[in-house]
Amino acid sequence: MAEAEEQETESLEESTDESEEEESEEEPKLKYERLSNGVTEILQKDAASCMTVHDKSPVKINQISLDESGEHMGMCSEDGKVQVFGLYSGEEFHETFDCPIKIIAVHPHFVRSSCKQFVTGGKKLLLFERSWMSRWKSSVLHEGEGNIRSVKWKGHLIAWANNMGVKIFDITSKQRITNVPRDDISLRPDMYPCSLCWKDNVTLIIGWGTSVKICSVKERHASEMRDLPSRYVEIVSQFETEFYISGLAPLCDQLVVLSYVKEVSEKTEREYCARPRLDIIQPLSETCEEISSDALTVRGFQENECRDYHLEYSEGEPLFYIVSPRDVVVAKERDQDDHIDWLLEKKKYEEALMAAEISQKNIKRHKILDIGLAYINHLVEKGEYDIAARKCQKILGKNAALWEYEVYKFKEIGQLKAISPYLPRGDPVLKPLIYEMILHEFLESDYEGFATLIREWPGDLYNNSVIVQAVRDHLKKDSQNRTLLKTLADLYTYDKNYGNALEIYLTLRHKDVFQLIHKHNLFSSIKDKIVLLMDFDSEKAVDMLLDNEDKISIKKVVEELEDRPELQHVYLHKLFKRDHHKGQRYHEKQISLYAEYDRPNLLPFLRDSTHCPLEKALEICQQRNFVEETVYLLSRMGNSRSALKMIMEELHDVDKAIEFAKEQDDGELWEDLILYSIDKPPFITGLLNNIGTHVDPILLIHRIKEGMEIPNLRDSLVKILQDYNLQILLREGCKKILVADSLSLLKRMHRTQMKGVLVDEENICESCLSPVLPADAAKPFSVVVFHCRHMFHKECLPVPSMVSRPPRRERSVQSGGMRVEVVPSCGFSGLIFYHLRKMNLFLKCVISYTVVPPYPWCQLP
């Protein structure tokens, strides 16, 4: 609107001017033009308040200098005038020279009274200082090498450039400390001036032509001074650039370079001035690395020379001013907002979003959410719907309103399926209509996707009854669709309608039917559906029924399976494996079931069961000619000879017959086996190979008829001898082990018997039952202590006359009026310690005596 109004105003002004020119035929006295060079832009933001004009200010200002405080300014002009004054004070210096003054630099700390100094440069470099009488005096620092082209003052160091090179002057010592000569003397110094800048108080950067030098001012060691300055300069880095240098400025540890560029036209092959470049480089010792490079569009760059460009910078903030005759450009260090602007302009939305998240505390003009929404829109426009939907999770977060807005956007473009996997399901929860809308979309076109969402989404996100009715409507068209039926069962489950869900699961024979029964305790609903469950998965069904006997009894299960004996067997077999006694009432029935459906497990059942009727089992096995089972039953019933006969006659298996005889360990059975085998050479060989450890082989060998050919007789006899030798070796080994163990145990018992016996006031006499130790320890007394821990007063000790004892040696110990006699009791000698606690007396006695039997009344515990 503003542009339209402005254009309308301009057209009105032009029409007015044309009408006035048509009315007047006289030549105008004045001509009009607008001030440019930024005046228009300035007046767009600010209003002009006043203006004054004077004809004595047309002279070119060559340089302006400020001190670090920004309170004092110095300037010089082409007419030789130099002026230094305070912006906030009345102090001022004014002087006019007879030649143009090209440069001026005030002391960085000019605000201090001790630093009222500045330098000017033309054909010579002059230092002005204010004395204590507030008078200014000047001194020549340098002359005779052409015009002073550039000067920079930092701390106590002044650097300037003339036609020959760069000099550095120490203002404190009043000494010139170095001279850095110009490299390329072919370049005119007035056309390609030197650029100087201080990185810090001791680091000077020099740019001249295409050469860059970084100089470090260092203190000279006292031993090296002699007649030399106290400081010296070391060039720490020197390299060449591609273009001519018009200005330098430091940027942290990097360098900003303003370059003047000349290029050659491909058509005319003539050299012309190109746009200047502003490069950021990383200085190295002998080269540099380019970080960034930008070509600048300034007014009139086609007519500019190297000397027409200047680079100024602000130390307080990273601002760089590119000055040309007709334009001034400000370069600012790009912040994170600028970086994000550039990424968005290049449509790098993901990188912009990442940059905003990393620097969210520093960005001012951008919001993460706005960038994220722009990113989603960009992906949708590109047709990358899945990626756009996935990004919604991160970008939209917990903002339910934005989620619903985006869902409707995806609905408009027909991409509800794309966003469905990423919809929030807990925090936040969207309106039920949103979820129902997506479910209906899948139900119309993708049954599998619909089933997946029903499984993954909690049932409280949508109106369950609405979705159930929709599924029923579709089942009317396709009633056998397993996917829809399974999904309907899930919906019934969410609605706690477990009966309908169970019917569908059983109809579908779905594996989750058992999980459904367990989870919701539906055992009362499956009592009449046991056969269906067994037909579907008998193993899982049996495990479930046995795990829940308290809910469905064994009797009920067996009754339900009465018409399906094969399933009845599976159930009872698993029951028997778990517990041999729980189903004992059905063991008789199980004999027939095992015989019919599972003969391999019949014999283990007969062996493990203690409740099955043996006569009934024998009858069934004989009817079916089950030899192994019949043999087992006969042996269990005590008819071992019939069992052995059946093995020999029916199975003709000598090894099994021998094994059976070994199990029974009955001599008569071995006799029957030998008699049966005596006329059968293969049987004799089997007996010879196995009989050696149970029956004397001589009994069999003596009965072998002369001349009978027996296969492998020699090997069998050798084996008998080897077995005999092995038995002898085993007996000898066992004997050695037995002797060693006996000796070890005897020594252990001896060590045990050698331990001391405690005698204190708690011990009593086994005869009179009074304390062994007297209450008055001063009176003499005698105590007899047996090794069997029985204790007697000497006078109470019974001496049975009927027990004859061999002579023995006794030892008595006397202390004061106390006498203790120690005698053995149980036939072992040893070392006995007696501790008489009451008297605090320790008696150590080593007793040696003969072996005697214990007293008849002595029974060791």
Side-chain angles (χ1 to χ4, degrees), residues 310-329:
H310 304 280
L311 178 63
E312 296 293 337
Y313 67 97
S314 172
E315 295 185 1
E317 52 184 341
L319 296 176
F320 303 92
Y321 298 88
I322 298 93
V323 182
S324 69
R326 297 187 180 181
D327 212 349
V328 178
V329 177

Side-chain angles (χ1 to χ4, degrees), residues 129-183:
E129 299 177 280
R130 193 172 71 175
S131 64
W132 64 280
M133 294 293 291
S134 298
R135 294 180 180 178
W136 291 91
K137 67 175 182 177
S138 64
S139 58
V140 178
L141 298 183
H142 187 70
E143 64 179 335
E145 292 184 356
N147 290 335
I148 306 300
R149 303 291 178 185
S150 178
V151 65
K152 293 292 180 181
W153 194 333
K154 187 71 173 179
H156 301 293
L157 299 175
I158 304 172
W160 70 89
N162 56 24
N163 294 347
M164 305 303 293
V166 177
K167 281 75 176 173
I168 300 178
F169 184 82
D170 188 348
I171 197 69
T172 56
S173 63
K174 303 293 184 181
Q175 291 178 314
R176 193 173 73 186
I177 60 177
T178 191
N179 176 35
V180 182
R182 181 159 63 107
D183 291 335

Side-chain angles (χ1 to χ4, degrees), residues 358-377:
I358 294 173
S359 306
Q360 57 182 330
K361 294 182 179 179
N362 299 324
I363 56 177
K364 299 176 181 178
R365 293 186 286 104
H366 293 92
K367 294 181 179 178
I368 295 176
L369 181 58
D370 293 341
I371 298 172
L373 293 175
Y375 185 24
I376 294 174
N377 292 336

Side-chain angles (χ1 to χ4, degrees), residues 414-585:
Q415 292 296 329
L416 279 176
K417 290 183 179 180
I419 200 172
S420 62
Y422 310 106
L423 283 184
R425 304 171 188 179
D427 185 17
V429 176
L430 309 184
K431 295 177 181 177
L433 182 62
I434 298 294
Y435 300 101
E436 293 168 12
M437 182 171 61
I438 293 176
L439 289 173
H440 279 292
E441 177 77 15
F442 274 92
L443 188 56
E444 294 297 329
S445 57
D446 183 3
Y447 287 164
E448 292 295 337
F450 174 75
T452 301
L453 291 183
I454 292 297
R455 285 195 303 271
E456 293 178 353
W457 285 0
D460 56 353
L461 292 179
Y462 47 85
N463 190 330
N464 197 64
S465 59
V466 173
I467 304 302
V468 167
Q469 187 58 48
V471 174
R472 284 177 175 174
D473 293 340
H474 278 264
L475 282 172
K476 291 177 182 178
K477 306 172 187 176
D478 187 3
S479 59
Q480 300 303 316
N481 190 290
R482 294 182 61 84
T483 302
L484 286 182
L485 286 171
K486 171 62 173 61
T487 307
L488 183 59
D490 292 339
L491 291 169
Y492 280 139
T493 303
Y494 296 152
D495 208 22
K496 299 184 179 181
N497 192 347
Y498 302 121
N500 289 344
L502 181 61
E503 288 184 8
I504 296 176
Y505 274 122
L506 289 174
T507 302
L508 296 175
R509 299 170 67 89
H510 196 276
K511 60 182 180 61
D512 291 342
V513 64
F514 299 102
Q515 181 181 354
L516 179 71
I517 295 169
H518 275 292
K519 186 175 181 180
H520 302 291
N521 196 21
L522 304 179
F523 296 98
S524 60
S525 303
I526 64 169
K527 289 182 178 179
D528 58 345
K529 299 180 176 64
I530 294 175
V531 175
L532 289 175
L533 290 170
M534 293 285 287
D535 280 336
F536 171 47
D537 191 330
S538 60
E539 185 174 353
K540 285 187 178 181
V542 170
D543 287 338
M544 181 189 68
L545 292 169
L546 292 178
D547 290 339
N548 297 273
E549 292 178 26
D550 55 329
K551 298 167 184 174
I552 302 180
S553 65
I554 298 173
K555 180 180 179 182
K556 176 63 177 177
V557 176
V558 173
E559 290 175 355
E560 287 292 321
L561 298 176
E562 194 64 41
D563 295 335
R564 297 290 299 275
E566 73 280 8
L567 298 178
Q568 196 178 58
H569 164 69
V570 173
Y571 175 77
L572 291 173
H573 172 67
K574 202 70 173 283
L575 174 63
F576 181 74
K577 285 293 183 182
R578 288 198 178 190
D579 191 325
H580 293 345
H581 307 289
K582 273 191 177 181
Q584 59 183 2
R585 61 186 295 185

Side-chain angles (χ1 to χ4, degrees), residues 209-473:
T210 60
S211 173
V212 175
K213 295 179 182 178
I214 301 178
C215 306
S216 179
V217 180
K218 299 184 177 181
E219 296 288 340
R220 196 185 300 275
H221 194 271
S223 61
E224 300 176 351
M225 283 189 183
R226 300 177 185 176
D227 297 331
L228 298 174
S230 61
R231 296 182 178 183
Y232 68 96
V233 172
E234 179 183 345
I235 299 176
V236 295
S237 176
Q238 180 176 352
F239 52 88
E240 295 290 323
T241 62
E242 187 177 355
F243 308 111
Y244 297 106
I245 298 170
S246 294
L248 296 170
L251 178 63
C252 298
D253 61 338
Q254 297 170 346
L255 196 59
V256 180
V257 181
L258 177 63
S259 301
Y260 171 70
V261 181
K262 280 191 174 183
E263 295 180 354
V264 178
S265 173
E266 295 180 358
K267 296 181 179 179
T268 62
E269 296 184 356
R270 295 180 61 185
E271 197 174 51
Y272 67 94
C273 298
R275 293 187 298 169
R277 303 185 67 85
L278 191 67
D279 301 331
I280 299 178
I281 61 175
Q282 179 67 58
L284 304 175
S285 58
E286 296 181 356
T287 183
C288 65
E289 179 184 351
E290 184 181 280
I291 306 301
S292 69
S293 181
D294 298 314
L296 307 177
T297 301
V298 297
R299 295 189 183 97
F301 70 87
Q302 300 88 344
E303 303 172 0
N304 293 341
E305 297 292 340
C306 183
R307 64 183 179 184
D308 295 327
Y309 295 108
H310 304 280
L311 178 63
E312 296 293 337
Y313 67 97
S314 172
E315 295 185 1
E317 52 184 341
L319 296 176
F320 303 92
Y321 298 88
I322 298 93
V323 182
S324 69
R326 297 187 180 181
D327 212 349
V328 178
V329 177
V330 181
K332 300 179 182 179
E333 190 174 12
R334 296 176 65 85
D335 58 13
Q336 203 62 20
D337 282 299
D338 298 322
H339 176 58
I340 294 172
D341 281 335
W342 183 83
L343 292 173
L344 293 175
E345 181 182 346
K346 299 297 182 181
K347 297 189 182 300
K348 298 182 178 182
Y349 291 95
E350 187 167 10
E351 295 178 30
L353 184 60
M354 187 181 301
E357 289 172 344
I358 294 173
S359 306
Q360 57 182 330
K361 294 182 179 179
N362 299 324
I363 56 177
K364 299 176 181 178
R365 293 186 286 104
H366 293 92
K367 294 181 179 178
I368 295 176
L369 181 58
D370 293 341
I371 298 172
L373 293 175
Y375 185 24
I376 294 174
N377 292 336
H378 172 70
L379 292 172
V380 170
E381 290 172 2
K382 288 175 62 179
E384 298 179 1
Y385 305 113
D386 290 335
I387 300 177
R390 186 165 61 250
K391 294 298 179 183
C392 285
Q393 277 188 313
K394 178 180 179 181
I395 294 167
L396 304 182
K398 298 182 180 181
N399 193 322
L402 282 178
W403 267 108
E404 293 171 2
Y405 176 75
E406 290 297 328
V407 170
Y408 281 112
K409 280 178 58 177
F410 274 79
K411 182 179 185 301
E412 291 175 1
I413 58 176
Q415 292 296 329
L416 279 176
K417 290 183 179 180
I419 200 172
S420 62
Y422 310 106
L423 283 184
R425 304 171 188 179
D427 185 17
V429 176
L430 309 184
K431 295 177 181 177
L433 182 62
I434 298 294
Y435 300 101
E436 293 168 12
M437 182 171 61
I438 293 176
L439 289 173
H440 279 292
E441 177 77 15
F442 274 92
L443 188 56
E444 294 297 329
S445 57
D446 183 3
Y447 287 164
E448 292 295 337
F450 174 75
T452 301
L453 291 183
I454 292 297
R455 285 195 303 271
E456 293 178 353
W457 285 0
D460 56 353
L461 292 179
Y462 47 85
N463 190 330
N464 197 64
S465 59
V466 173
I467 304 302
V468 167
Q469 187 58 48
V471 174
R472 284 177 175 174
D473 293 340

Side-chain angles (χ1 to χ4, degrees), residues 594-738:
Y594 275 112
E596 182 68 26
Y597 302 107
D598 190 9
R599 185 192 169 183
N601 283 313
L602 175 58
L603 185 57
F605 170 74
L606 295 174
R607 284 175 176 166
D608 294 338
S609 174
T610 57
H611 305 287
C612 94
L614 298 181
E615 296 80 3
K616 179 68 174 179
L618 181 62
E619 179 184 351
I620 293 174
C621 291
Q622 288 176 341
Q623 288 176 355
R624 294 177 177 268
N625 198 26
F626 292 169
V627 178
E628 292 184 7
E629 291 81 355
T630 303
V631 168
Y632 170 74
L633 290 170
L634 288 172
S635 65
R636 186 172 172 184
M637 295 171 69
N639 197 352
S640 301
R641 305 188 74 173
S642 298
L644 179 63
K645 181 179 179 181
M646 195 169 188
I647 294 173
M648 303 295 287
E649 294 179 354
E650 298 290 337
L651 298 179
H652 305 288
D653 189 340
V654 67
D655 293 332
K656 190 177 288 292
I658 293 171
E659 189 66 30
F660 180 78
K662 288 179 180 179
E663 290 177 358
Q664 301 300 317
D665 195 19
D666 186 348
E668 293 183 357
L669 281 181
W670 284 109
E671 184 68 24
D672 292 345
L673 181 57
I674 292 172
L675 290 175
Y676 182 83
S677 306
I678 200 66
D679 59 347
K680 300 176 181 61
F683 276 44
I684 293 175
T685 301
L687 286 172
L688 289 174
N689 288 335
N690 294 278
I691 202 174
T693 57
H694 295 273
V695 181
D696 189 355
I698 298 299
L699 297 176
L700 175 61
I701 294 172
H702 284 168
R703 296 186 183 185
I704 299 175
K705 296 177 181 179
E706 293 186 5
M708 179 181 289
E709 293 187 4
I710 300 174
N712 301 318
L713 177 61
R714 182 178 64 85
D715 296 339
S716 298
L717 294 175
V718 170
K719 186 175 184 303
I720 289 173
L721 293 175
Q722 289 176 342
D723 291 345
Y724 178 76
N725 289 333
L726 180 62
Q727 288 183 16
I728 297 301
L729 291 174
L730 288 173
R731 288 178 181 178
E732 291 179 354
C734 291
K735 181 180 178 182
K736 290 179 180 179
I737 294 171
L738 180 61

